[in-house]
């Protein structure tokens, strides 16, 4: 392929954004443009490996990778999430007129690159014909900047510091040592009343003095969504797929056993994700031997470690309660009488560390499935465990923990679903957080997001409950006892979508 570097596009306010344009060699028939807009540098090797422009160029696409406003080679000021609506609209119109293109533009890319797709689509630019978002939030207040009221401080800190290198380059800070020192200075204590200080000193989504955040809106376009069971934006990706499907347009979905940092490659049947995406895009655009405008759903079922193609997500299931008992048992049977509460004492100065899950933190806190026994051995972590299963039990859909909970002051309730293996390993599957004001006992519903998991014969279902997951979430908190009640009239329970 041929690559033209730093091709300029002028936005409506005169700001120049720059892109690299990858084309098939030797001209040929015009083809659709596949556009990605990124804040991470259009020539970054990791990004290029993920986007794989050569694979699309071989099929006759013109691939455009553009630096967003205020990043890398593009002009203007960097304000995360703010400018992607107007800039995305203007860039699609520009890309539709590029030499070698046929006037049709599809967009692709993971994470923030997925956000740039939804933002561009919100303005219905002429020429935009399909979206291929991967690992992207829907409501920024559910997974990006916060989760049910608890601030995603860990995610925002590592993301902001990671973006800081380009900010410092633009400020004239040169050299690796100088940049490292400047980044460290950004994260030192200051006078700001919002911790950590770096989140106030650099532009970051959801700042108290920033613009309101917008959630994804219906695009009414064919959409191929990719999600990961251990991705920080898992539920947002699933919600986006459901919204896309409701529009009546072709809506494909692939969910694999991936974290946010994974590079999905070979999946079901030995084919690559990129091949599946391009086959689908060829189909909806009526090109070549594409797979047609059907709406395929491909789901990896953890535990069974198999790929399945249900007719839709979520597949048919029955919401089944498993009740928490004062003995620490987890059972399909509710308490027959009022049982003693389960109690622990929370000390904010010694929070429970997070271990695995749907994380996007620094390398010291990797995402994914991990043995939770060291966490569960702490006195400030409660567990309820079911009996060994006499037969496999498959769950697919959204998980909720309903706690009859009490505390003396404002409290967080972190719930985590685990699969306990016969050898004792307790492997995390899903988690969530909810906040309560304290005072009288109240029903607290903790949204653990979604799973597709098979508990094997002899395995046991476990629910953890604690009050923190450091350093992931930040929230108003108070020290003191936490109580989970087991009254007959107010049972605490875990709601599992058991597959039919």
């Amino acid at each position: 392929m041929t690559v033209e570097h730093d091709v300029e596009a002028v936005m409506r306010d005169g700001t120049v954004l720059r892109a690299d344009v990858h084309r098939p060699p030797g001209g040929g028939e015009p083809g659709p443009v596949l556009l990605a807009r990124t804040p991470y540098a259009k020539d970054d090797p990791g990004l290029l490996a993920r986007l794989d422009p050569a694979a699309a160029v071989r099929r006759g696409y013109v691939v455009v990778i553009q630096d967003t406003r205020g990043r890398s080679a593009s002009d203007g000021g960097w304000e995360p999430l703010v400018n992607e609506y107007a800039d995305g609209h203007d860039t699609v119109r520009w890309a539709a007129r590029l030499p070698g293109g046929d006037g049709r533009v599809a967009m692709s890319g993971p994470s923030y690159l997925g956000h740039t797709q939804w933002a561009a689509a919100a303005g219905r630019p002429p020429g935009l014909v399909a979206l291929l978002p991967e690992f992207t939030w829907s409501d920024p207040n559910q997974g990006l900047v916060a989760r049910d009221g608890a601030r995603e401080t860990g995610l925002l800190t590592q993301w902001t510091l990671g973006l800081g290198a380009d900010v410092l380059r633009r400020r004239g800070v040169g050299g690796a040592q100088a940049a490292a020192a400047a980044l460290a200075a950004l994260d030192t204590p200051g006078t700001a009343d919002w911790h950590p200080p770096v989140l106030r000193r650099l532009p970051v989504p959801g700042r108290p003095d920033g613009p309101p955040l917008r959630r994804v809106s219906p695009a009414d376009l064919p959409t191929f969504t990719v999600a990961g069971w251990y991705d920080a934006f898992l539920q947002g990706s699933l919600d986006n797929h459901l919204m896309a499907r409701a529009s009546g347009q072709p809506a494909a979905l692939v969910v694999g056993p991936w974290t946010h940092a994974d590079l999905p490659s070979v999946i079901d049947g030995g084919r690559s994700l990129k091949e599946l995406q391009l086959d689908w895009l060829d189909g909806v655009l009526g090109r070549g031997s594409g797979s047609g405008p059907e709406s395929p759903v491909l789901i990896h079922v953890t535990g069974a470690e198999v790929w399945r193609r249900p007719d839709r997500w979520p597949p048919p299931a029955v919401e089944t309660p498993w009740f928490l008992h004062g003995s620490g048992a987890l059972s399909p049977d509710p308490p027959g009488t009022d049982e003693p509460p389960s109690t622990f004492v929370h000390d904010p100065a010694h929070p429970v560390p997070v271990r695995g899950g749907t994380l996007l933190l620094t390398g010291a806190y990797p995402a994914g499935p991990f043995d939770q026994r060291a966490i569960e051995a702490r006195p400030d972590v409660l567990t309820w465990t079911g009996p060994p299963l006499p037969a496999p039990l498959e769950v697919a859909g959204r998980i909720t923990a309903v706690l009859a909970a009490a505390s003396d002051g404002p409290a967080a309730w972190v719930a985590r679903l685990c699969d306990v293996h016969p050898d004792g390993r307790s492997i995390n599957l899903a988690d969530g957080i909810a906040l309560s004001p304290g005072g009288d006992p109240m029903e607290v519903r903790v949204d653990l997001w979604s799973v597709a998991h098979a508990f094997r014969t002899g395995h046991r279902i476990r629910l953890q409950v604690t009050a923190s997951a450091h350093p992931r979430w930040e929230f108003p908190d108070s020290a003191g006892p936490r109580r989970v009640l087991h009254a007959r009239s107010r049972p605490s329970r875990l709601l599992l979508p058991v597959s039919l």
Side-chain angles (χ1 to χ4, degrees):
M1 62 184 175
T2 63
V3 182
E4 186 178 2
H5 296 282
D6 291 332
V7 180
E8 296 186 351
V10 181
M11 302 295 101
R12 65 188 67 180
D13 64 353
T15 301
V16 174
L17 308 187
R18 296 177 177 85
D20 291 347
V21 180
H22 307 246
R23 293 188 176 90
E29 291 292 323
V33 171
L34 189 55
L35 168 66
R37 305 189 61 248
T38 176
Y40 305 120
K42 59 186 177 348
D43 56 355
D44 176 77
L47 178 66
L48 291 174
R50 183 68 173 264
L51 295 176
D52 193 4
V57 167
R58 282 193 294 269
R59 298 201 187 201
Y61 288 86
V62 176
V63 176
V64 177
I65 307 176
Q66 183 190 67
D67 290 324
T68 56
R69 179 182 294 248
R71 300 295 297 171
S72 196
S74 289
D75 296 345
W78 164 242
E79 291 185 84
L81 279 67
V82 172
N83 296 303
E84 312 311 347
Y85 295 87
D87 287 353
H89 184 280
D90 294 353
T91 298
V92 168
R93 294 176 64 104
W94 165 81
R97 299 190 297 267
L98 282 172
D102 66 3
R104 296 180 293 176
V105 179
M107 296 185 73
S108 71
S111 194
Y112 194 94
L113 285 71
H115 167 70
T116 65
Q117 297 176 54
W118 289 109
R124 304 293 196 276
L128 185 59
V129 294
L131 307 177
L132 294 93
E134 305 171 17
F135 296 6
T136 302
W137 59 88
S138 182
D139 180 351
N141 292 302
Q142 291 293 345
L144 177 63
V145 304
R147 174 86 175 265
D148 288 315
R151 189 164 182 78
E152 291 276 5
T153 303
L155 185 158
L156 290 175
T157 301
Q158 69 83 24
W159 187 59
T160 304
L161 288 171
L163 292 169
D166 188 60
V167 174
L168 294 172
R169 180 187 64 80
R170 287 171 172 268
R171 293 178 182 175
V173 178
Q177 287 186 332
L183 283 172
L186 286 170
D187 203 31
T188 54
T191 59
D193 58 1
W194 191 36
H195 177 81
V198 66
L199 299 185
R200 191 173 184 89
R201 297 177 188 172
L202 290 180
V204 67
R207 287 174 51 166
D209 58 347
L213 300 178
R214 296 170 62 177
R215 68 168 298 154
V216 165
S217 56
D220 196 26
L221 291 169
T223 304
F224 189 123
T225 301
V226 179
W229 291 126
Y230 292 99
D231 174 42
F233 309 127
L234 164 65
Q235 193 59 51
S237 295
L238 297 175
D239 292 346
N240 288 341
H241 166 71
L242 294 177
M243 181 183 63
R245 191 180 72 194
S247 75
Q249 294 281 355
L253 173 68
V254 173
V255 191
W258 306 312
T259 71
H260 195 78
D262 286 336
L263 178 61
S265 53
V266 175
I267 55 177
D268 181 51
R271 305 183 66 211
S272 73
L273 176 62
K274 181 59 67 174
E275 287 177 315
L276 290 177
Q277 290 174 306
L278 291 175
D279 283 350
W280 177 87
L281 185 57
D282 282 346
V284 299
L285 297 183
R287 305 181 72 241
S289 57
S291 58
E294 292 82 12
S295 302
V297 174
L298 181 60
I299 303 295
H300 183 273
V301 180
T302 57
E305 309 309 331
V306 296
W307 290 90
R308 295 223 172 100
R309 285 190 177 273
D311 291 337
R312 60 195 299 161
W313 175 265
V318 174
E319 187 176 76
T320 305
W322 282 66
F323 295 92
L324 284 57
H325 292 266
S327 63
L330 184 66
S331 167
D333 301 319
T337 61
D338 290 350
E339 300 176 1
S342 300
T343 303
F344 68 95
V345 177
H346 172 57
D347 181 0
H350 297 90
V352 177
V354 69
R355 179 162 173 75
T358 53
L359 303 181
L360 185 49
L361 304 180
T362 62
Y365 299 93
F370 287 91
D371 190 351
Q372 300 290 310
R373 283 179 290 184
I375 300 296
E376 293 167 354
R378 291 176 56 117
D380 52 357
V381 178
L382 300 176
T383 61
W384 292 265
T385 308
L389 293 169
L393 179 70
E394 190 163 314
V395 296
R398 204 142 182 178
I399 312 292
T400 304
V402 183
L403 306 176
S407 60
D408 295 339
W413 304 90
V414 175
R416 183 170 292 110
L417 175 66
C418 297
D419 181 341
V420 181
H421 292 228
D423 62 6
R425 286 176 296 136
S426 179
I427 306 301
N428 57 293
L429 302 175
D431 59 17
I433 188 170
L435 307 182
S436 68
D440 294 336
M442 62 180 299
E443 186 173 275
V444 176
R445 300 181 69 91
V446 187
D447 180 5
L448 278 66
W449 287 1
S450 300
V451 302
H453 181 77
F455 293 91
R456 297 188 177 192
T457 301
H459 288 223
R460 294 178 292 165
I461 302 169
R462 176 172 290 168
L463 181 70
Q464 286 180 27
V465 171
T466 185
S468 54
H470 180 76
R472 180 175 183 180
W473 288 309
E474 181 184 14
F475 41 83
D477 199 9
S478 62
R482 307 281 192 265
R483 298 175 295 280
V484 177
L485 309 182
H486 310 292
R488 181 179 180 182
S489 61
R490 184 182 281 180
S492 297
R493 58 206 181 273
L494 172 67
L495 302 179
L496 296 178
V498 176
S499 299
L500 296 176

